[in-house]
Protein backbone atom coordinates (compact mmCIF):
# COMPACT_ATOMS: atom_id res chain seq x y z
CA UNK A 1 0.00 0.00 0.00
CA UNK A 2 1.07 3.59 -0.29
CA UNK A 3 0.78 5.75 2.78
CA UNK A 4 -2.04 8.21 3.03
CA UNK A 5 -1.46 11.90 3.03
CA UNK A 6 -1.51 13.04 6.63
CA UNK A 7 -2.59 12.73 10.20
CA UNK A 8 -6.00 14.32 10.67
CA UNK A 9 -6.66 13.43 14.31
CA UNK A 10 -4.38 12.73 17.25
CA UNK A 11 -5.31 11.65 20.77
CA UNK A 12 -2.62 11.36 23.43
CA UNK A 13 -2.88 9.83 26.89
CA UNK A 14 -0.11 9.87 29.48
CA UNK A 15 2.87 10.74 27.32
CA UNK A 16 5.22 12.70 29.63
CA UNK A 17 3.28 15.78 30.83
CA UNK A 18 0.48 15.25 28.28
CA UNK A 19 -2.21 13.54 30.38
CA UNK A 20 -5.03 13.89 27.91
CA UNK A 21 -4.74 15.76 24.64
CA UNK A 22 -7.37 15.63 21.87
CA UNK A 23 -6.50 17.19 18.52
CA UNK A 24 -9.34 16.65 16.06
CA UNK A 25 -8.72 19.53 13.67
CA UNK A 26 -5.22 18.99 12.41
CA UNK A 27 -4.18 20.63 9.18
CA UNK A 28 -1.38 19.90 6.74
CA UNK A 29 0.93 22.16 8.75
CA UNK A 30 0.62 22.26 12.53
CA UNK A 31 2.60 24.62 14.70
CA UNK A 32 2.98 24.02 18.44
CA UNK A 33 4.31 26.98 20.36
CA UNK A 34 4.87 27.42 24.05
CA UNK A 35 7.36 27.95 26.84
CA UNK A 36 10.19 25.62 27.77
CA UNK A 37 8.90 22.44 29.38
CA UNK A 38 5.31 22.99 28.20
CA UNK A 39 5.11 19.73 26.20
CA UNK A 40 5.89 20.65 22.57
CA UNK A 41 8.53 17.98 21.95
CA UNK A 42 6.28 15.47 23.72
CA UNK A 43 3.62 16.07 21.04
CA UNK A 44 6.14 15.24 18.31
CA UNK A 45 7.25 12.25 20.37
CA UNK A 46 3.64 11.05 20.57
CA UNK A 47 3.35 11.18 16.78
CA UNK A 48 6.59 9.23 16.53
CA UNK A 49 5.16 6.69 18.93
CA UNK A 50 2.08 6.41 16.73
CA UNK A 51 4.11 5.90 13.55
CA UNK A 52 7.03 3.82 14.83
CA UNK A 53 5.85 2.41 18.19
CA UNK A 54 8.78 4.09 19.97
CA UNK A 55 10.09 7.46 21.00
CA UNK A 56 12.92 9.35 19.30
CA UNK A 57 14.47 10.24 22.65
CA UNK A 58 15.23 7.90 25.53
CA UNK A 59 13.63 4.59 26.42
CA UNK A 60 9.97 3.70 26.37
CA UNK A 61 9.52 3.92 30.13
CA UNK A 62 10.69 7.53 30.30
CA UNK A 63 7.85 8.36 27.94
CA UNK A 64 5.08 7.23 30.26
CA UNK A 65 3.75 9.92 32.61
CA UNK A 66 5.22 9.40 36.08
CA UNK A 67 2.83 7.43 38.26
CA UNK A 68 0.92 5.93 35.30
CA UNK A 69 1.12 2.35 34.05
CA UNK A 70 0.85 2.97 30.33
CA UNK A 71 0.62 5.56 27.61
CA UNK A 72 -1.53 5.45 24.48
CA UNK A 73 -1.70 7.37 21.24
CA UNK A 74 -4.45 7.15 18.71
CA UNK A 75 -4.53 8.74 15.27
CA UNK A 76 -6.58 8.88 12.10
CA UNK A 77 -5.13 9.39 8.65
CA UNK A 78 -6.69 11.47 5.89
CA UNK A 79 -8.17 11.00 3.40
CA UNK A 80 -8.99 7.29 3.94
CA UNK A 81 -9.56 7.59 7.70
CA UNK A 82 -7.39 4.57 8.56
CA UNK A 83 -6.90 4.56 12.32
CA UNK A 84 -3.69 3.71 14.16
CA UNK A 85 -3.27 3.04 17.86
CA UNK A 86 -0.20 2.30 19.98
CA UNK A 87 -0.05 1.54 23.67
CA UNK A 88 3.11 1.00 25.68
CA UNK A 89 3.12 -0.11 29.26
CA UNK A 90 5.66 0.05 32.04
CA UNK A 91 5.97 -3.75 31.95
CA UNK A 92 7.33 -3.46 28.38
CA UNK A 93 4.14 -4.55 26.60
CA UNK A 94 3.49 -2.94 23.22
CA UNK A 95 0.04 -3.10 21.64
CA UNK A 96 -0.42 -1.90 18.08
CA UNK A 97 -3.67 -1.58 16.14
CA UNK A 98 -4.23 -0.66 12.51
CA UNK A 99 -7.82 0.02 11.45
CA UNK A 100 -8.96 -1.39 14.79
CA UNK A 101 -7.25 -4.76 14.32
CA UNK A 102 -4.16 -5.80 16.31
CA UNK A 103 -0.92 -6.18 14.32
CA UNK A 104 2.00 -8.25 15.51
CA UNK A 105 5.04 -6.38 14.24
CA UNK A 106 6.22 -2.79 14.08
CA UNK A 107 7.05 -3.34 10.38
CA UNK A 108 3.31 -3.67 9.71
CA UNK A 109 2.75 -0.29 11.34
CA UNK A 110 5.54 1.86 9.95
CA UNK A 111 4.38 1.98 6.34
CA UNK A 112 1.20 3.88 7.31
CA UNK A 113 2.80 7.00 8.68
CA UNK A 114 6.32 7.49 7.29
CA UNK A 115 8.08 10.00 9.52
CA UNK A 116 11.11 12.22 9.20
CA UNK A 117 12.44 13.85 12.34
CA UNK A 118 14.48 17.05 12.25
CA UNK A 119 15.77 17.88 15.72
CA UNK A 120 19.01 18.41 17.62
CA UNK A 121 19.81 14.67 17.36
CA UNK A 122 19.60 14.80 13.57
CA UNK A 123 23.17 16.13 13.53
CA UNK A 124 24.09 12.48 14.14
CA UNK A 125 23.57 11.98 10.43
CA UNK A 126 26.73 13.96 9.88
CA UNK A 127 28.72 13.62 13.07
CA UNK A 128 27.58 10.20 14.29
CA UNK A 129 28.66 6.68 13.43
CA UNK A 130 27.93 5.06 10.02
CA UNK A 131 25.00 3.28 11.69
CA UNK A 132 23.00 6.53 11.71
CA UNK A 133 23.58 6.98 7.98
CA UNK A 134 22.72 3.36 7.20
CA UNK A 135 19.50 3.80 9.12
CA UNK A 136 18.76 6.94 7.11
CA UNK A 137 19.43 5.18 3.82
CA UNK A 138 17.44 2.09 4.78
CA UNK A 139 14.45 4.21 5.82
CA UNK A 140 14.34 5.52 2.26
CA UNK A 141 14.82 2.16 0.57
CA UNK A 142 12.16 0.61 2.81
CA UNK A 143 9.55 3.20 1.91
CA UNK A 144 10.27 3.22 -1.82
CA UNK A 145 11.11 -0.44 -2.52
CA UNK A 146 8.84 -2.81 -0.65
CA UNK A 147 10.86 -5.92 -1.54
CA UNK A 148 13.77 -4.49 0.44
CA UNK A 149 12.47 -5.51 3.87
CA UNK A 150 12.44 -9.21 3.04
CA UNK A 151 16.09 -9.06 1.88
CA UNK A 152 17.00 -7.06 4.94
CA UNK A 153 15.46 -9.71 7.20
CA UNK A 154 17.24 -12.50 5.28
CA UNK A 155 20.50 -10.64 5.61
CA UNK A 156 20.06 -10.05 9.37
CA UNK A 157 19.26 -13.72 9.92
CA UNK A 158 22.24 -14.98 7.95
CA UNK A 159 24.82 -12.64 9.45
CA UNK A 160 23.63 -13.56 12.93
CA UNK A 161 23.99 -17.26 12.14
CA UNK A 162 27.38 -16.82 10.49
CA UNK A 163 28.73 -14.78 13.39
CA UNK A 164 27.46 -17.39 15.83
CA UNK A 165 29.38 -20.09 13.94
CA UNK A 166 32.49 -17.90 13.73
CA UNK A 167 32.40 -17.25 17.46
CA UNK A 168 31.93 -20.90 18.33
CA UNK A 169 34.50 -22.54 16.07
CA UNK A 170 37.96 -21.38 15.23
CA UNK A 171 37.92 -23.95 12.39
CA UNK A 172 35.47 -23.85 9.47
CA UNK A 173 32.52 -26.24 9.94
CA UNK A 174 30.21 -27.68 7.26
CA UNK A 175 27.58 -25.12 8.15
CA UNK A 176 29.84 -22.15 7.60
CA UNK A 177 29.95 -22.24 3.76
CA UNK A 178 26.17 -22.72 3.70
CA UNK A 179 25.53 -19.61 5.79
CA UNK A 180 28.27 -17.71 3.98
CA UNK A 181 26.54 -18.35 0.64
CA UNK A 182 23.18 -17.30 2.07
CA UNK A 183 24.82 -14.17 3.50
CA UNK A 184 26.50 -13.41 0.17
CA UNK A 185 23.22 -13.70 -1.71
CA UNK A 186 21.10 -11.65 0.67
CA UNK A 187 23.87 -9.08 1.24
CA UNK A 188 24.41 -8.59 -2.47
CA UNK A 189 20.66 -8.11 -3.05
CA UNK A 190 20.34 -5.73 -0.10
CA UNK A 191 23.24 -3.67 -1.32
CA UNK A 192 21.82 -3.46 -4.86
CA UNK A 193 18.62 -1.95 -3.45
CA UNK A 194 20.63 0.55 -1.44
CA UNK A 195 22.75 1.50 -4.45
CA UNK A 196 19.76 1.97 -6.74
CA UNK A 197 18.04 4.15 -4.14
CA UNK A 198 21.19 6.16 -3.55
CA UNK A 199 21.45 6.91 -7.27
CA UNK A 200 17.95 8.38 -7.20
CA UNK A 201 18.55 10.28 -3.99
CA UNK A 202 21.77 12.09 -4.91
CA UNK A 203 20.44 14.37 -7.68
CA UNK A 204 17.44 15.35 -5.52
CA UNK A 205 19.72 16.16 -2.62
CA UNK A 206 21.91 18.29 -4.86
CA UNK A 207 18.96 20.17 -6.32
CA UNK A 208 17.59 20.89 -2.83
CA UNK A 209 20.99 21.99 -1.52
CA UNK A 210 21.41 24.37 -4.43
CA UNK A 211 18.35 26.17 -3.07
CA UNK A 212 19.15 25.87 0.64
CA UNK A 213 22.85 26.67 0.48
CA UNK A 214 23.93 27.68 -3.04
CA UNK A 215 27.45 28.48 -1.88
CA UNK A 216 28.14 24.86 -0.88
CA UNK A 217 28.78 23.76 -4.44
CA UNK A 218 31.40 21.17 -3.49
CA UNK A 219 28.99 19.02 -1.47
CA UNK A 220 29.23 15.37 -2.40
CA UNK A 221 27.54 12.16 -1.23
CA UNK A 222 29.35 8.88 -1.71
CA UNK A 223 27.95 5.45 -1.05
CA UNK A 224 30.31 2.89 0.46
CA UNK A 225 28.77 -0.53 0.26
CA UNK A 226 30.99 -2.11 2.93
CA UNK A 227 33.44 -4.21 0.96
CA UNK A 228 36.13 -3.91 -1.73
CA UNK A 229 34.66 -2.42 -4.93
CA UNK A 230 36.59 -4.82 -7.17
CA UNK A 231 35.01 -7.95 -5.64
CA UNK A 232 31.54 -9.40 -5.39
CA UNK A 233 30.37 -10.01 -1.83
CA UNK A 234 31.08 -13.75 -1.94
CA UNK A 235 34.65 -13.00 -3.07
CA UNK A 236 35.11 -10.45 -0.30
CA UNK A 237 33.80 -12.94 2.28
CA UNK A 238 36.21 -15.62 0.96
CA UNK A 239 39.09 -13.16 1.30
CA UNK A 240 38.26 -12.25 4.85
CA UNK A 241 37.53 -15.79 6.07
CA UNK A 242 40.81 -16.18 7.98
CA UNK A 243 40.38 -12.87 9.83
CA UNK A 244 36.69 -13.59 10.46
CA UNK A 245 37.56 -16.96 12.02
CA UNK A 246 40.36 -15.44 14.05
CA UNK A 247 38.23 -12.63 15.46
CA UNK A 248 34.87 -14.37 15.54
CA UNK A 249 32.75 -12.06 13.40
CA UNK A 250 32.10 -10.99 9.78
CA UNK A 251 34.33 -8.05 8.87
CA UNK A 252 33.01 -7.05 5.47
CA UNK A 253 29.55 -6.46 4.07
CA UNK A 254 26.47 -4.24 4.05
CA UNK A 255 26.62 -4.04 7.86
CA UNK A 256 29.65 -1.78 7.28
CA UNK A 257 28.08 0.38 4.58
CA UNK A 258 28.22 4.15 4.90
CA UNK A 259 27.32 7.34 3.12
CA UNK A 260 30.25 9.74 3.12
CA UNK A 261 29.14 13.35 3.17
CA UNK A 262 31.94 15.56 1.93
CA UNK A 263 32.57 19.12 0.93
CA UNK A 264 35.44 19.83 -1.46
CA UNK A 265 36.94 16.47 -0.51
CA UNK A 266 36.75 17.04 3.28
CA UNK A 267 34.31 15.47 5.71
CA UNK A 268 31.28 17.75 6.05
CA UNK A 269 31.12 17.01 9.79
CA UNK A 270 34.64 18.41 10.26
CA UNK A 271 34.29 21.39 7.96
CA UNK A 272 30.80 22.86 7.95
CA UNK A 273 29.48 25.30 10.53
CA UNK A 274 26.64 24.20 12.80
CA UNK A 275 24.05 26.06 10.72
CA UNK A 276 25.45 24.66 7.48
CA UNK A 277 25.32 21.18 9.01
CA UNK A 278 21.69 21.68 9.90
CA UNK A 279 20.97 22.72 6.31
CA UNK A 280 22.63 19.54 5.03
CA UNK A 281 20.56 17.48 7.46
CA UNK A 282 17.39 19.21 6.24
CA UNK A 283 18.49 18.67 2.63
CA UNK A 284 19.02 14.95 3.22
CA UNK A 285 15.61 14.57 4.85
CA UNK A 286 13.77 16.69 2.32
CA UNK A 287 15.32 14.70 -0.53
CA UNK A 288 13.92 11.49 0.94
CA UNK A 289 10.44 12.96 1.25
CA UNK A 290 10.57 14.22 -2.30
CA UNK A 291 11.71 10.87 -3.63
CA UNK A 292 8.93 9.10 -1.77
CA UNK A 293 6.20 11.23 -3.26
CA UNK A 294 7.75 10.98 -6.74
CA UNK A 295 7.75 7.20 -6.40
CA UNK A 296 4.04 7.46 -5.64
CA UNK A 297 4.55 6.08 -2.16
CA UNK A 298 2.57 8.85 -0.52
CA UNK A 299 3.94 11.71 1.50
CA UNK A 300 5.98 11.61 4.60
CA UNK A 301 5.24 13.59 7.72
CA UNK A 302 7.93 15.89 9.04
CA UNK A 303 8.41 16.32 12.77
CA UNK A 304 10.50 19.46 13.13
CA UNK A 305 11.57 20.32 16.65
CA UNK A 306 12.68 23.89 17.12
CA UNK A 307 13.51 24.75 13.52
CA UNK A 308 14.91 28.23 14.23
CA UNK A 309 17.71 26.97 16.48
CA UNK A 310 21.06 27.14 14.63
CA UNK A 311 19.45 28.72 11.54
CA UNK A 312 19.19 32.41 10.66
CA UNK A 313 15.87 33.81 9.47
CA UNK A 314 16.75 33.59 5.82
CA UNK A 315 17.71 29.92 5.98
CA UNK A 316 14.76 28.97 8.20
CA UNK A 317 12.52 30.56 5.58
CA UNK A 318 14.19 28.54 2.80
CA UNK A 319 13.60 25.26 4.66
CA UNK A 320 9.96 26.24 5.28
CA UNK A 321 9.51 27.22 1.64
CA UNK A 322 10.70 23.79 0.51
CA UNK A 323 8.51 21.98 3.06
CA UNK A 324 5.53 24.04 1.91
CA UNK A 325 6.20 23.49 -1.79
CA UNK A 326 6.45 19.72 -1.26
CA UNK A 327 2.96 19.88 0.29
CA UNK A 328 4.41 17.79 3.07
CA UNK A 329 2.52 17.21 6.27
CA UNK A 330 4.44 19.08 8.98
CA UNK A 331 4.39 19.26 12.77
CA UNK A 332 6.68 21.99 13.93
CA UNK A 333 7.53 23.46 17.33
CA UNK A 334 8.78 26.87 18.41
CA UNK A 335 8.66 29.07 21.49
CA UNK A 336 6.68 31.99 20.05
CA UNK A 337 4.02 31.81 17.36
CA UNK A 338 5.73 34.65 15.53
CA UNK A 339 8.94 32.56 15.18
CA UNK A 340 7.19 30.45 12.55
CA UNK A 341 4.86 33.11 11.17
CA UNK A 342 7.95 35.11 10.29
CA UNK A 343 9.45 32.33 8.17
CA UNK A 344 6.57 30.23 6.81
CA UNK A 345 5.39 31.26 3.28
CA UNK A 346 2.45 33.60 3.76
CA UNK A 347 0.27 32.09 1.03
CA UNK A 348 0.51 28.73 2.80
CA UNK A 349 -0.56 30.00 6.23
CA UNK A 350 -4.22 29.20 5.41
CA UNK A 351 -3.31 25.50 5.57
CA UNK A 352 -1.62 26.00 8.91
CA UNK A 353 -3.06 25.36 12.37
CA UNK A 354 -1.54 27.12 15.39
CA UNK A 355 -1.64 25.46 18.80
CA UNK A 356 -0.55 26.89 22.10
CA UNK A 357 0.99 24.40 24.51
CA UNK A 358 0.95 25.22 28.22
CA UNK A 359 1.67 22.85 31.12
CA UNK A 360 0.73 19.79 29.06
CA UNK A 361 -2.52 21.28 27.69
CA UNK A 362 -3.01 22.27 24.09
CA UNK A 363 -5.35 25.05 23.00
CA UNK A 364 -6.21 26.75 19.75
CA UNK A 365 -6.83 30.49 19.59
N1 LIG B 1 7.65 10.70 32.34
C1 LIG B 1 7.27 11.95 32.59
N2 LIG B 1 6.17 12.19 33.35
C2 LIG B 1 5.75 13.46 33.58
N3 LIG B 1 6.36 14.55 33.10
C3 LIG B 1 7.45 14.38 32.34
C4 LIG B 1 7.97 13.08 32.04
N4 LIG B 1 9.06 13.21 31.26
C5 LIG B 1 9.23 14.54 31.08
N5 LIG B 1 8.28 15.25 31.72
C6 LIG B 1 8.04 16.71 31.72
O1 LIG B 1 7.28 16.98 30.56
C7 LIG B 1 7.42 18.33 30.20
C8 LIG B 1 7.40 18.49 28.72
O2 LIG B 1 8.64 18.23 28.11
P1 LIG B 1 8.94 18.63 26.63
O3 LIG B 1 10.31 18.16 26.33
O4 LIG B 1 7.85 18.14 25.75
O5 LIG B 1 8.89 20.21 26.66
P2 LIG B 1 9.09 21.28 25.51
O6 LIG B 1 7.84 22.09 25.44
O7 LIG B 1 9.54 20.62 24.28
O8 LIG B 1 10.24 22.19 26.12
P3 LIG B 1 11.52 22.92 25.44
O9 LIG B 1 11.03 24.22 24.87
O10 LIG B 1 12.40 23.15 26.61
O11 LIG B 1 12.10 22.01 24.44
C9 LIG B 1 8.67 18.83 30.91
O12 LIG B 1 8.25 19.75 31.90
C10 LIG B 1 9.27 17.59 31.52
O13 LIG B 1 9.90 17.84 32.73
MG1 LIG C 1 11.35 20.64 23.26
Amino acid sequence: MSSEASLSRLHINNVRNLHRVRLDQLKRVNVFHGANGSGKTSILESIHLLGMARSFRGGAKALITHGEQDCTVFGALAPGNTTLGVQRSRSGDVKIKVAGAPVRTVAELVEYLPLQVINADSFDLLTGSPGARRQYLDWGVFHVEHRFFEQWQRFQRSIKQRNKLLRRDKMPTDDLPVWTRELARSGEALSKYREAYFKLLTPRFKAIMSQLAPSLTGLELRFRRGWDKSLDFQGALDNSLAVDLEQGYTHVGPQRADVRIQIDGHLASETLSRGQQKLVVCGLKLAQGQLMSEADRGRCTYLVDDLPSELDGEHSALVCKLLASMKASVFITCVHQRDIEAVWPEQDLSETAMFHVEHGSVSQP
Side-chain angles (χ1 to χ4, degrees):
M1 60 143 266
S2 73
S3 37
E4 291 174 61
S6 60
L7 197 59
S8 58
R9 282 190 291 150
L10 175 68
H11 295 177
I12 305 167
N13 282 308
N14 299 335
V15 173
R16 298 196 189 268
N17 71 337
L18 309 172
H19 295 281
R20 188 175 183 279
V21 169
R22 297 283 177 273
L23 302 173
D24 290 312
Q25 308 261 291
L26 294 170
K27 289 198 173 179
R28 184 165 55 73
V29 181
N30 303 279
V31 179
F32 295 88
H33 56 92
N36 293 142
S38 56
K40 305 176 300 290
T41 302
S42 306
I43 302 226
L44 303 190
E45 234 181 339
S46 304
I47 300 169
H48 200 269
L49 182 62
L50 186 68
M52 311 273 284
R54 61 176 172 79
S55 166
F56 53 69
R57 57 169 176 177
K61 279 181 200 155
L63 197 68
I64 302 169
T65 305
H66 297 150
E68 298 292 341
Q69 284 314 304
D70 45 48
C71 63
T72 50
V73 274
F74 163 87
L77 303 174
N81 207 30
T82 303
T83 57
L84 306 176
V86 174
Q87 179 178 61
R88 293 203 69 131
S89 66
R90 235 171 242 293
S91 62
D93 268 5
V94 186
K95 290 194 183 115
I96 304 171
K97 280 186 179 177
V98 174
V103 299
R104 273 186 318 113
T105 64
V106 177
E108 290 169 82
L109 171 73
V110 295
E111 59 185 295
Y112 286 90
L113 186 61
L115 297 172
Q116 287 280 1
V117 181
I118 299 177
N119 64 6
D121 293 338
S122 306
F123 285 97
D124 267 8
L125 251 185
L126 292 184
T127 56
S129 65
R133 288 179 291 279
R134 280 196 298 277
Q135 211 175 35
Y136 161 80
L137 194 63
D138 287 351
W139 182 99
V141 196
F142 175 86
H143 284 293
V144 169
E145 173 51 81
H146 279 182
R147 289 169 302 177
F148 172 73
F149 186 58
E150 196 189 316
Q151 288 304 337
W152 186 86
Q153 281 181 310
R154 257 184 79 194
F155 173 77
Q156 296 300 334
R157 201 166 43 237
S158 43
I159 196 159
K160 211 167 135 194
Q161 284 297 335
R162 187 173 190 267
N163 284 344
K164 209 156 106 188
L165 292 173
L166 289 169
R167 264 199 310 277
R168 210 179 54 197
D169 309 298
K170 289 277 172 206
M171 296 295 288
T173 58
D174 289 349
D175 282 348
L176 190 60
V178 176
W179 280 107
T180 301
R181 270 198 303 278
E182 169 66 7
L183 179 65
R185 270 198 296 267
S186 57
E188 195 83 55
L190 174 91
S191 196
K192 288 231 160 69
Y193 283 136
R194 281 180 177 165
E195 246 166 284
Y197 177 79
F198 182 78
K199 276 206 182 106
L200 296 173
L201 184 73
T202 315
R204 272 112 188 142
F205 170 72
K206 286 203 157 183
I208 288 171
M209 287 315 296
S210 69
Q211 294 182 58
L212 284 184
S215 64
L216 301 180
T217 47
L219 258 184
E220 206 71 60
L221 300 182
R222 279 179 207 279
F223 175 63
R224 300 267 176 96
R225 60 184 184 165
W227 72 90
D228 186 338
K229 276 204 291 270
S230 64
L231 299 170
D232 63 11
F233 188 25
Q234 178 73 56
L237 285 167
D238 292 344
N239 277 0
S240 78
L241 179 63
V243 190
D244 289 359
L245 278 166
E246 173 62 34
Q247 300 197 5
Y249 70 95
T250 306
H251 282 73
V252 292
Q255 76 283 8
R256 305 286 293 269
D258 196 3
V259 176
R260 306 267 294 182
I261 307 167
Q262 295 180 319
I263 172 111
D264 301 324
H266 305 281
L267 275 181
S269 57
E270 292 172 359
T271 308
L272 297 182
S273 75
R274 225 21 211 176
Q276 288 172 327
Q277 287 186 23
K278 182 150 180 173
L279 290 171
V280 172
V281 166
C282 290
L284 287 165
K285 303 220 163 190
L286 289 168
Q288 286 203 316
Q290 200 179 81
L291 196 48
M292 230 186 97
S293 49
E294 279 175 38
D296 216 14
R297 290 289 183 194
R299 290 198 200 114
C300 64
T301 294
Y302 284 86
L303 307 178
V304 188
D305 205 6
D306 200 4
L307 180 75
S309 75
E310 328 267 357
L311 294 183
D312 56 38
E314 187 192 336
H315 286 102
S316 293
L318 282 169
V319 174
C320 293
K321 192 173 151 197
L322 277 166
L323 279 168
S325 71
M326 280 169 62
K327 299 282 172 206
S329 169
V330 186
F331 290 80
I332 192 164
T333 69
C334 54
V335 174
H336 303 289
Q337 183 171 341
R338 62 174 182 275
D339 298 342
I340 289 298
E341 280 174 345
V343 291
W344 198 266
E346 210 178 312
Q347 65 277 21
D348 204 56
L349 280 173
S350 59
E351 289 200 60
T352 303
M354 293 284 174
F355 298 94
H356 183 223
V357 189
E358 201 174 15
H359 304 304
S361 295
V362 183
S363 59
Q364 236 179 328

